[in-house]
């Protein structure tokens, strides 16, 4: 069995000093490649740094940075050998592009960078490419990469502007104006670092060491080539910081590190027996079988890498030090209780509580209570603001029961197919109705000209009602859906025709909200809403089948009553 970095004797969680260190270690496991663009990249030969012309600082500098700074073209060079060696020391690969003016002007640089950036999570741009002191060339590259990222549903990306320009604040303001409404939050002028949060993209501004003199206030942003890779890892960790996201990035790292095992298990020698299988069983189901086999093998890789340890008690304790207050208030029926941080951490990090844990009310001497009994369904509100707790619980519930619930998993021309566990929305007059496809998986392939599909009605209810499933509507509204196995007799059927590949495929409908629509043989539209995870769907429909196949009998009322005694 091949060992990955995470399956070594010392797991990263064991050596993490605190929560920030824990997240940095997870990010380092994940990151592989840095792409740098700098027209003054050298291998040891330092180019002369030119000086400032007589400065005209003042209102012009602060009011209109773009094109108004009286700064002589040039800047500090970038020592590629130092940068690549420092990257290799922490397990990263660094690629450096040194563009000519012609490559910059004719679009070659942009095309080349977009292709390289598809394989990299960190992008480093020089602000003054080929003496373009206003930064417009670098900003244009940023726009091209960002547009490409959005086509891929917004990949995680760290962009660093690494410059010797003396006015870092002016550079920062230019980037902020360029990104406009894409910026969700940003650093303040009094902060020691300069950063912009654009959702899945984080932009930072750093000063090259050895460049022209920068303001004393900017000295903390000055980083030399040897320290830049570690600094980039630390900044990328801000994007992935979190217990759950640490598991996600560590899982991706484990798969990448042990990719050879997948290739060994699914070798070229299996092509012929797979094609033989496909001949007898058909195309779509054979393709799906192969995907499921690979998914199962990936699960084996994750088990070997022990990725679950990123959420073990020690990791949770580190998280709590950062996120939990020393005392937390909880409203009880007749009073307000105060729980200490120590007891709350014990509650969330313990393995065997199962929702039952005695805590001490710090506001009332000698008063203890069962936390799980007082908070019957969730304690998320104790760990976050009460205003956001409901939404966070909803998002987690949606993650656990749905495999797909928005257009993003369907890039390009791919569209959902109608299968076991598909939720669709139609209309009965003016009323919106929701249906769950209960057709067995094996019968959703090799669909000929027409085939009736069975559906179970789902009732749209409120958050305080009983519900079984949650999903976002095609308009991104929250749905709470109730499923009753006792009403198996309400099953309805709608007939659909398969396409040339033997499946019922939806059509993409663009507009304010992208929708995928199935049309039955009568032309009635059914909008795709979501697809349940396979096991979740199978369990729901198994409950439905059990209810439909139960045996009814006549028996003495005394027997019936006796069997229902508590």
């Amino acid at each position: 069995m091949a060992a990955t970095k995470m399956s070594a004797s010392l797991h990263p969680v064991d050596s993490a000093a605190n929560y920030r260190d824990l997240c940095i270690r997870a990010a380092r496991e994940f990151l592989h490649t840095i792409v740098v663009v700098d027209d003054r990249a050298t291998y040891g030969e330092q180019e002369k740094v030119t000086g400032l012309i007589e400065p005209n600082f003042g209102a012009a500098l602060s009011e209109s940075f773009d094109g108004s700074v009286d700064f002589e073209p040039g800047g500090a060079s970038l020592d590629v050998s130092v940068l690549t060696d420092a990257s290799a020391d922490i397990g990263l690969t660094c690629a450096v592009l040194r563009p000519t003016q012609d490559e910059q002007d004719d679009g070659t640089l942009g095309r080349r960078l977009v292709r390289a950036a598809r394989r990299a999570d960190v992008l480093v741009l020089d602000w003054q490419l080929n003496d373009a002191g206003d930064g417009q060339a670098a900003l244009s590259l940023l726009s091209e990469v960002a547009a490409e990222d959005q086509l891929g549903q917004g990949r995680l990306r760290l962009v660093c502007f690494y410059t010797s320009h003396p006015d870092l604040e002016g550079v920062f303001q230019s980037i902020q104006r360029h990104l406009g409404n894409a910026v969700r939050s940003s650093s303040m002028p009094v902060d020691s670092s300069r950063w912009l949060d654009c959702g899945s993209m984080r932009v930072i501004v750093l000063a090259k060491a050895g460049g022209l003199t920068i303001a004393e206030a900017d000295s903390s942003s000055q980083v030399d080539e040897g320290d830049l890779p570690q600094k980039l890892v630390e900044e990328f960790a801000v994007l992935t910081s979190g217990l759950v996201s640490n598991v996600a990035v560590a899982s991706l790292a484990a798969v990448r590190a042990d990719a050879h095992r997948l290739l060994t298990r699914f070798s070229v020698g299996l092509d012929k027996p797979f094609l033989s299988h496909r001949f007898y069983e058909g195309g779509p189901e054979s393709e799906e079988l192969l995907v499921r086999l690979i998914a199962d093998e990936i699960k084996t890789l994750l088990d070997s890498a022990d990725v679950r340890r990123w959420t073990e008690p020690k990791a949770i304790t580190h998280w709590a030090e950062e996120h939990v207050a020393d005392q937390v208030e909880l409203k009880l029926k007749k009073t307000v209780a105060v729980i200490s941080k120590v007891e709350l951490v014990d509650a969330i990090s313990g393995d065997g509580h199962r929702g039952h844990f005695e805590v001490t009310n710090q506001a009332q001497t000698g008063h203890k209570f069962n936390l799980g009994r007082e908070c019957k369904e969730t304690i998320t509100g104790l760990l976050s603001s009460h205003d956001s707790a409901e939404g966070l619980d909803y998002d987690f519930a949606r993650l656990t029961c749905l495999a797909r619930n928005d257009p993003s998993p369907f890039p390009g021309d791919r569209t959902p197919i109608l299968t076991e566990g598909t939720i669709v929305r139609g209309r009965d007059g003016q009323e919106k109705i929701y249906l769950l496809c209960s057709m067995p998986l094996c019968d959703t392939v090799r669909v000929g000209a027409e085939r009736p599909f069975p559906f179970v009605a789902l009732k749209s209810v409120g958050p305080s009602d009983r519900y079984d499933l949650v999903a976002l509507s095609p308009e991104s509204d929250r749905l709470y859906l109730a499923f009753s196995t006792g009403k198996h007799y309400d099953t309805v059927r709608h007939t659909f025709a398969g396409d040339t590949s033997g499946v019922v495929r939806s059509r993409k409908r663009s507009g304010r909200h992208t929708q995928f629509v199935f049309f039955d043989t009568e032309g009635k539209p059914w909008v795709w809403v979501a697809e349940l995870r396979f096991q979740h769907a199978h369990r729901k429909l198994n409950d439905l089948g059990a209810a439909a196949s139960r045996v009814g009998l006549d028996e003495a009322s005394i027997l019936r009553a006796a069997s229902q005694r508590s």
Side-chain angles (χ1 to χ4, degrees), residues 129-146:
L129 287 172
N130 287 304
D131 299 337
D134 61 359
Q136 292 306 305
L139 291 175
S140 177
L141 292 175
L142 173 63
S143 295
E144 290 186 54
V145 172

Side-chain angles (χ1 to χ4, degrees), residues 474-496:
E475 295 76 30
S476 298
D477 299 319
R478 290 183 189 173
L479 293 175
Y480 300 85
L481 302 171
F483 173 89
S484 176
T485 57
K487 294 186 178 181
H488 58 87
Y489 42 76
D490 285 339
T491 298
V492 296
R493 293 178 181 271
H494 296 279
T495 302
F496 295 85

Side-chain angles (χ1 to χ4, degrees), residues 309-345:
R309 291 202 58 201
W310 290 92
T311 54
E312 70 173 13
K314 183 177 180 180
I316 294 172
T317 301
H318 286 320
W319 179 91
E321 288 297 323
E322 185 86 10
H323 293 90
V324 178
D326 290 337
Q327 291 187 327
V328 179
E329 288 190 354
L330 171 63
K331 289 183 179 180
L332 304 180
K333 292 179 180 179
K334 298 181 179 180
T335 185
V336 175
V338 177
I339 307 171
S340 71
K341 181 175 186 173
V342 173
E343 287 195 318
L344 188 54
V345 172

Side-chain angles (χ1 to χ4, degrees), residues 327-339 359 361 363-364 367 369-376 378-379 381-384 386-387:
Q327 291 187 327
V328 179
E329 288 190 354
L330 171 63
K331 289 183 179 180
L332 304 180
K333 292 179 180 179
K334 298 181 179 180
T335 185
V336 175
V338 177
I339 307 171
V359 294
N361 183 0
Q364 186 175 342
H367 178 221
F369 62 94
N370 189 301
L371 182 61
R373 190 172 296 129
E374 291 293 339
C375 303
K376 296 185 183 301
T378 175
I379 61 168
L382 296 179
L383 306 173
S384 62
H386 288 275
D387 293 338

